Amino acid sequence: MIDAQSSMVEITHLEKRFGAEIAVEDFNLSVGKGEFVTLLGPSGCGKTTTLRSIAGLEKLDAGEIRIGQNIVVSADKNIFLDPELREIGMVFQSYAVWPHMTVFDNVAYGLRVRGTKASDLKKKTTYALELVGLDHLADRFATKLSGGQQQRVALARAICYEPNVILFDEPLSNLDAKLREQMRDEIVKLQKEVGITSIFVTHDQSEALVMSDRIVVMDKAVIQQIGDPKSIYSNPVNSFVANFIGVANLFQGKLIGVEGTECQIEINFGNALATKKLLSTGGDNLNLGQQVFLSVRPEDIKLSTKKSTGNVEANCIEGIVLDTVYLGNFLECRVKIGSHEMIVQIDHFEQLDKGQTVYVSFLPQHGLTLPN
Ligand code: ATP
């Protein structure tokens, strides 16, 4: 938890509407100094609107935002600072470099408009260009650069005048897959080196998992969960988060027993199979008899041609192989269980045939009980 004193960005009760539609509802977030926080969610969930509100490109319907020591916007106090007064750097999806300027002048822009003296301007701009590996192209016109290089110019421009925070709006989505990965790693390295507070918007969960100190998962204008990548992946708070981050097998059922950390869920797998009772963890704050989801990750499921015994016995279900997909270092196998399907990750050397009977099993501690 970041206290208000040590945070660089403090957002309280942000609300933004477009006509009757609520784009962001009661959004609360503290971003620590030097922290890398990602807003992650499907298209239309409100992440760009949140970022634009921080930048001063949207007016708020309610709430307040503080950056550094300054309240930059407050609906109650009627405060609104223009974007250029908010001490922020921005990196967009479209590189937004100025075509009539050289790489050096693009990067130096923020310092120049702030009246920085010439010797400091040269020193800081050169340093920023060195950080992104473009010092040798300082005199080239910005349009005569590749997409990746233009994005590096945008990055150097954003950090050059040492703003309080950098806002990234899907900066990698115009790059091809390989370059995207390379730039992703470069941004993280640079961000840690410079120690600049960063808020990053993406709908790509793997990008969010790799890059972030913390992730804010949003859906339908509302924050669903805030946490570090590991806790978001291992302990999603609801079925939306479980399904959005990585692959999750979700089965709806009824909570019929809770004992310590273990609970029992009754799942109707459809006509072919009788109702099955499975053991799972979680279930805190849930009531017996309530409809819940059992979530289990593909990599936590064992698949066998023989019925399992031992610890996993309680959670062993018979199914039929639908298909297998080769994904390089592993196979993804779809198994039909009654009217349900399950995705299981298995070793790449396994040989399974379509229509074959198999047994899937998982340990109770790998099942997670989530609210419906
Ligand atoms: P994407 O990943 O597609 O950019 P997003 O999560 O960033 O999506 P927003 O762009 O913040 O979502 O949009 C949130 C909601 O607000 C959407 O329903 C969108 O249609 C609506 N919205 C955003 N900007 C405007 C606008 N200028 N006028 C009207 N509605 C808008």
Side-chain angles (χ1 to χ4, degrees):
M1 202 72 179
I2 292 153
D3 62 77
Q5 298 306 315
S6 65
S7 69
M8 179 55 91
V9 179
E10 187 78 24
I11 304 170
T12 39
H13 304 299
L14 187 161
E15 182 175 309
K16 175 68 190 168
R17 282 186 236 117
F18 293 104
E21 186 183 356
I22 298 189
V24 183
E25 192 177 355
D26 199 19
F27 186 105
N28 295 281
L29 177 71
S30 283
V31 182
K33 287 192 182 88
E35 198 181 13
F36 194 114
V37 170
T38 296
L39 310 184
L40 173 72
S43 184
C45 72
K47 30 189 210 302
T48 300
T49 304
T50 305
L51 201 76
R52 287 173 57 83
S53 303
I54 302 168
L57 301 170
E58 300 287 358
K59 296 240 157 90
L60 307 188
D61 289 297
E64 188 168 292
I65 301 174
R66 176 175 60 72
I67 300 176
Q69 299 303 315
N70 300 320
I71 295 175
V72 295
V73 57
S74 171
D76 282 351
K77 297 174 189 149
N78 214 10
I79 297 172
F80 185 88
L81 242 61
D82 285 335
E84 60 276 16
L85 301 174
R86 293 191 178 195
E87 297 296 312
I88 48 167
M90 285 207 74
V91 183
F92 301 97
Q93 181 176 350
S94 59
Y95 318 122
V97 296
W98 291 295
H100 59 286
M101 288 186 195
T102 62
V103 166
F104 185 93
D105 287 338
N106 259 282
V107 174
Y109 182 81
L111 293 170
R112 199 158 269 147
V113 294
R114 281 170 180 77
T116 309
K117 72 176 195 226
S119 56
D120 278 352
L121 182 140
K122 176 124 203 318
K123 205 164 93 190
K124 287 184 174 174
T125 306
T126 307
Y127 174 64
L129 283 169
E130 279 168 9
L131 279 175
V132 298
L134 285 184
D135 39 322
H136 61 297
L137 296 177
D139 298 327
R140 188 177 286 188
F141 274 90
T143 44
K144 300 231 162 22
L145 297 173
S146 70
Q149 287 169 331
Q150 288 193 43
Q151 201 52 302
R152 285 194 186 92
V153 172
L155 186 58
R157 187 177 57 193
I159 56 175
C160 191
Y161 74 95
E162 297 159 357
N164 281 328
V165 56
I166 297 195
L167 308 177
F168 294 91
D169 192 3
E170 307 238 10
L172 306 178
S173 42
N174 278 347
L175 306 174
D176 65 56
K178 192 123 186 113
L179 192 56
R180 204 181 157 117
E181 230 170 79
Q182 189 188 332
M183 280 298 291
R184 184 184 78 183
D185 297 344
E186 278 181 32
I187 290 176
V188 172
K189 189 163 163 269
L190 193 129
Q191 191 268 339
K192 292 286 170 247
E193 206 167 310
V194 181
I196 194 158
T197 310
S198 303
I199 304 179
F200 190 97
V201 159
T202 184
H203 59 264
D204 182 326
Q205 44 111 358
S206 56
E207 214 162 87
L209 287 172
V210 170
M211 298 181 83
S212 322
D213 294 318
R214 277 188 309 151
I215 300 173
V216 178
V217 186
M218 295 179 74
D219 186 38
K220 299 194 181 83
V222 175
I223 294 179
Q224 303 292 319
Q225 187 169 4
I226 303 178
D228 62 83
K230 188 169 186 303
S231 63
I232 293 264
Y233 186 80
S234 339
N235 286 306
V237 292
N238 58 31
S239 55
F240 171 80
V241 178
N243 214 16
F244 195 75
I245 313 284
V247 180
N249 292 290
L250 288 168
F251 300 107
Q252 202 168 21
K254 190 161 80 173
L255 185 64
I256 55 168
V258 179
E259 214 182 296
T261 57
E262 206 164 272
C263 52
Q264 202 174 30
I265 302 169
E266 191 176 68
I267 297 167
N268 185 352
F269 278 97
N271 300 338
L273 274 177
T275 302
K276 181 94 186 148
K277 289 171 189 159
L278 295 177
L279 293 176
S280 173
T281 51
D284 315 340
N285 307 320
L286 299 173
N287 301 319
L288 285 183
Q290 185 179 338
Q291 286 293 306
V292 291
F293 277 107
L294 166 63
S295 168
V296 55
R297 299 281 185 197
E299 64 271 26
D300 291 330
I301 300 168
K302 219 176 120 209
L303 189 146
S304 167
T305 49
K306 292 193 199 82
K307 215 170 176 171
S308 348
T309 51
N311 276 351
V312 290
E313 196 171 18
N315 288 334
C316 180
I317 323 162
E318 186 180 319
I320 291 165
V321 174
L322 282 177
D323 55 27
T324 50
V325 183
Y326 182 68
L327 290 173
N329 50 348
F330 64 88
L331 289 178
E332 201 169 83
C333 180
R334 271 192 322 135
V335 179
K336 189 164 172 59
I337 300 164
S339 56
H340 290 60
E341 274 179 27
M342 200 171 209
I343 292 177
V344 186
Q345 194 173 306
I346 53 175
D347 282 336
H348 61 98
F349 49 76
E350 297 263 9
Q351 190 66 49
L352 291 168
D353 298 321
K354 196 174 164 180
Q356 184 176 347
T357 297
V358 286
Y359 297 90
V360 289
S361 54
F362 61 93
L363 293 167
Q365 60 264 38
H366 288 148
L368 195 60
T369 313
L370 299 170
N372 197 356

